[in-house]
């Protein structure tokens, strides 16, 4: 739970949040919310399926409350499927927010929607931070997530003691939307590194090299990436394809990255190509039904080669 | 100097090499050769500029000898600029080789030339291993290089005690040429990961995010690669561009990877795209005159944005 | 001036427009407007630099009028630099429009802005057609332009007698925005065909084949395109690069095509790659300062080869 | 049968060929050979399945002969499936060739194999021209093919009266291999133009535009290509997919173009990308079993959209 905040400094602010709430107790939120317990006078949780909130209260000592009450907290966290869902919840919450509260949205969302939410909350004296996280459920469990923050430095300074509860690293990357932008680009880089590795391992297999042997070398050499270190050995070469982060969400994130590119007219031919290829791979599945790693099966269809070891 | 050999096993061979030699005392070879001292009865070194060999002998206690004598060793290492240079040296060496010796070529070479060299040596009762290394001069200095081996298991078993002197990891990836193939693909993955990161960081900068802040997040998230962990902070964002591995050699390695792709008709659109882009970047420089990291300057020309932090 | 309308049929509508006006007398509009003369009771013209309107009136017998009067016509044509300029003019025009009039916008515009304009005009009982044209100034001069129409069939039926004055082909391609969409995709295909030809001719030149000889073959074979038939011989191989359609406008059109792609999540890896490359080429010039064909100079910088014949 | 020879001039050579032969009476050769009748003292034909040769003789008055006799002609044409088949036939023919004869190979072959064949024939005083043709069976039937010639000007001058019999255009593009190179690049441009059109039409369909309507516009605008003029209306939008030029041969030609690119280190990112995508599409079929136009079905699988008109 130590914090290595590279861009905001002092924590000795005059006022400190006394109450916090967490909206959305999914695979990530469930763990993130538990780290808040004992750090604040009041820790409330809410979830659309309310039994999840009650179970969380029972297990961790949080208070399961309705949405109207939850959003009265000094710092409100949300961790929901998409920016559109966040928008809906904010609309319902607006009449009930406390003055000067800070909403910290940990959803992997859309930069333009962060700007819109910030404008909405600002208008009533509150603040919105886009604060997507990276680190998977294991990082949420251990409270060591990487948090990429977009929004005002003051809002971040106020909410930081709460964010630190589940963060290993907090980086203030820019104004509203910047956090979501960094997350989308990060995921697109992941997709590119993974797609490229699928190509490279297949070319090598065509020349008689087992993927595991190639990975052993690459992972101790300059071609190494999170994709070769983790995704290929843990999900693809062993044919596990566990469903954790679905390919349609990856295609969505790559699409956000392309929108960021075209909006500012930055040429990005590799991001653009891979974004299209991931979309094509995603089109082979119903939304929510396949892990991102199944992109490799799509590529195997293209190449006619399996990315597995020969016995 | 410990070895983690994932694919060959026993070291208890009946015969052990007694003499070894090292041809080519460049930035890598200088260090690699020193680890052989004290492990074998005879350790010979040779270099085209012979004063380097003499200096090596003086510093490390090796024997500086001419080429004819050097190639009489049981195990001969070469670490030279290109496969073509290796070919020339082999041609000169052929009449002088000892029976049953093993030539271990640590050059980043061409797979087809490895096959040709192996055929040539096999014809006179010797063996050739393609054994490119990864780990930069620091890994050579500490004797912890990753070595990717192509060739026969028997030849590797014989030469292994010598290779282990400078290796942290030895992987036998396949028949002749497979080592060079893995190295070329590894370097192409490195080029792709780096190019993609240049695009992603530039898109983010256009949206107001400093490259260093974005890297801080990405390097603790799924988009992480050797390129984002090392190349960008150490060479590009700080505008250092130190000349260690030149961009024309990277373009050459990417070209080898594309030849591997077309030879076996494996579709690899991302490798192919980036290979062309790296070639274009390399075309802006005289061979040998610019570090690989200067690809980023070429991309900056395309995008009109510098990959540096705003103050 | 004959019309080959492939998707709308009858012209025998009860009411016929009696007055028409043309806003924007640039290189295209100057010619398009002249064909309206004699076909309607009133033919008005307007241009921001009003002397152009007066010159047009003098030369062709049109009426040069102010904007307020011009937009009272039954059918109003606009041919302006961008959708943003059209929006401004529409805002000024709104209070002065006649009931049931049809605005026909021949600008190469943005599909979403066509939808917005149509909504605005619809609200006051008028109609908006996006009606971009293709055929260059020569087609405008001869009245044989290809016109791609988005909007309602009724509005098109009403405006058609006026559009036919300068059209060789009118195609009703869909609802509001569809005309602009087809134009953007057409231009992107042109950019792709041209970029690919630059690559192909350069590869051949590296093998000793003169571009003109290669074009002679390709233009009588399956690789033929408008780019190889016209752009390369007339602009690039002869180093003429006449400034007619600027590269920043081409980059803008490719960007519109990519937005169309991402909006509907259609994977389009080749359009996406070339769109980025054209943007990079455009970034080398001030907006409005270089013809599209100068993309070839950017590619020549990448390849190090000139696309010209050796003597 | 008129000739528009853009790069060789005079026909008034001292010696003229008196006998000609044609090897390979497939869909193209059948027609090409018939145009030779009456132009030379002797016109011989040969085919592996000899009944085809006999049928040709009966229908057109040629002489059906065995291979040994056929290759004694002054000018020998070959039109066979691949360069490898041509090589085999040349090996059998070598002992029987007449001095100073010219072998004109109309196969779509490999540039390096043209150079090897030319060296072989040169060594015994003969000449080899690579002379691939374009124009489909209809052009062969009418004797209006485009012929791209690589080889010596003298050999071409000698063989030209024979080539003119079936040519609408003869272009001498360079030394041995240059003809094959131009053909491979032409076909790759065709593949790129076609793939891009599939993307563009699909993006438009997603926005409600029928492919036929979009094609009507594009074919009268700058995006026009042989692919949009012929391939899409005649083969894809109407779901005909007639098998004439198979997709594996197209993938082979694209592969030749990429080898030309890498051999001379010319960056060609778009050719490289599409070459990989065509290979992936080809991998979905047994060799020889699907027309090139079926690439569109592969792309439809990627996009989830059919390139057909809605009713």
């Amino acid at each position: 739970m130590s914090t290595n905040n590279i861009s905001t400094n002092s924590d000795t602010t005059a006022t400190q949040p006394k109450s916090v709430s967490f909206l959305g107790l999914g695979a990530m939120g469930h763990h993130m919310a538990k780290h808040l317990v004992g750090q604040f006078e009041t820790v409330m949780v809410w979830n659309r399926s309310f039994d999840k909130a009650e179970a969380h209260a029972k297990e961790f000592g949080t208070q399961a409350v309705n949405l109207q009450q939850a959003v009265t907290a000094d710092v409100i966290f949300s961790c929901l499927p998409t920016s559109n869902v966040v928008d809906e919840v904010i609309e319902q919450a607006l009449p009930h927010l406390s003055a000067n509260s800070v909403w910290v949205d940990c959803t992997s969302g859309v930069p333009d929607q962060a700007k819109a939410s910030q404008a909405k909350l600002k208008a009533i004296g509150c603040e919105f931070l886009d604060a997507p996280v990276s680190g998977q459920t294991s990082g949420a469990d251990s409270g060591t997530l990487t948090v990429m923050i977009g929004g005002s430095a003051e809002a971040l300074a106020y909410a930081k003691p709460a964010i630190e509860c589940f963060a290993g690293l907090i980086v203030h990357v820019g104004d509203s939307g910047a956090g979501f932008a960094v997350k989308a680009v990060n995921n697109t880089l992941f997709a590119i590194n993974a797609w490229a590795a699928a190509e490279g391992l297949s070319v090598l297999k065509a020349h008689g090299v087992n993927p595991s042997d190639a990975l052993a070398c690459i992972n101790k050499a300059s071609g190494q990436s999170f994709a070769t270190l983790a995704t290929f050995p843990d999900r693809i070469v062993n044919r596990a394809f566990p469903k954790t982060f679905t390919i349609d969400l990856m295609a969505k994130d790559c699409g956000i990255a392309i929108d960021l590119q075209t909006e500012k007219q930055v040429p990005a031919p590799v991001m653009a190509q891979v974004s299209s290829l991931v979309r094509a791979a995603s089109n082979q599945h119903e939304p929510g039904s396949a892990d991102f790693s199944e992109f490799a099966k799509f590529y195997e269809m293209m190449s006619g080669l399996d990315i597995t070891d020969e016995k």
Side-chain angles (χ1 to χ4, degrees), chain A:
Chain A
M1 258 170 270
S2 77
T3 300
N4 174 10
N5 184 325
I6 71 162
S7 54
T8 65
N9 315 92
S10 151
D11 293 351
T12 55
T13 45
T15 49
Q16 295 273 351
K18 293 196 173 59
S19 59
V20 299
S21 64
F22 207 103
L23 317 179
L25 301 168
M28 295 295 285
H30 172 82
H31 288 301
M32 290 160 77
K34 76 183 179 193
H35 296 291
L36 300 165
V37 176
Q39 309 295 318
F40 301 92
E41 289 180 15
T42 309
V43 179
M44 296 175 280
V45 296
W46 172 84
N47 196 70
R48 194 159 291 198
S49 310
F50 197 65
D51 52 342
K52 280 199 179 180
E54 289 172 322
H56 196 275
K58 200 167 171 187
E59 186 175 355
F60 300 112
T62 50
Q63 298 176 41
V65 298
N66 64 23
L67 183 61
Q68 292 186 11
Q69 192 177 342
V71 298
T72 61
D74 296 335
V75 172
I76 306 136
F77 289 97
S78 54
C79 195
L80 297 163
T82 66
S83 279
N84 286 338
V85 178
V86 175
D87 282 357
E88 287 169 26
V89 172
I90 288 179
E91 282 304 317
Q92 293 174 264
L94 277 177
H96 310 287
L97 291 173
S98 300
N100 305 315
S101 67
V102 176
W103 190 301
V104 182
D105 182 23
C106 301
T107 306
S108 286
V110 177
D112 280 349
Q113 288 183 283
K115 290 173 194 164
S117 296
Q118 162 66 356
K120 244 181 244 171
L121 294 207
K122 192 86 182 173
I124 59 167
C126 299
E127 291 275 351
F128 179 92
L129 298 173
D130 45 306
V133 299
S134 186
Q136 305 188 298
T137 51
S138 60
D141 189 13
S142 59
T144 57
L145 293 170
T146 298
V147 193
M148 316 157 196
I149 310 274
S152 83
E154 293 70 27
L156 174 54
Y158 182 73
K160 205 174 145 193
I163 301 171
E164 283 176 336
C165 296
F166 54 74
L169 175 69
I170 299 170
V171 187
H172 184 203
V173 293
D175 294 335
S176 278
F180 287 162
V182 172
K183 184 78 195 291
V185 166
N186 173 79
N187 282 10
T188 305
L189 295 186
F190 175 34
I192 293 169
N193 298 351
W195 184 282
E199 291 185 359
L201 294 175
S202 299
V203 167
L204 288 172
K205 184 160 178 189
H207 287 270
V209 179
N210 265 333
S212 291
D213 292 339
L215 285 169
C217 299
I218 291 165
N219 284 334
K220 291 285 183 184
S222 58
Q224 168 256 306
S225 66
F226 180 81
T228 60
L229 285 164
T231 311
F232 276 83
D234 299 349
R235 296 178 179 234
I236 295 171
V237 177
N238 65 358
R239 317 311 284 173
F241 302 104
K243 196 171 85 183
T244 59
F245 177 55
T246 61
I247 193 165
D248 50 303
L249 290 178
M250 177 58 104
K252 182 205 68 176
D253 286 347
C254 292
I256 292 172
I258 296 308
D259 286 342
L260 290 168
Q261 168 199 351
T262 52
E263 183 188 339
K264 296 290 185 183
Q265 305 186 331
V266 180
V270 178
M271 286 174 64
Q273 178 178 192
V274 174
S275 184
S276 272
L277 294 171
V278 169
R279 172 58 64 194
S282 175
N283 280 348
Q284 312 309 311
H285 302 279
E286 290 299 310
S289 70
D291 188 62
F292 162 61
S293 56
E294 298 215 12
F295 89 89
K297 292 184 186 167
F298 179 76
Y299 177 70
E300 290 173 337
M301 178 274 296
M302 290 177 68
S303 71
L305 294 166
D306 290 337
I307 306 171
T308 50
D309 293 343
E310 296 298 312
K311 300 305 154 203

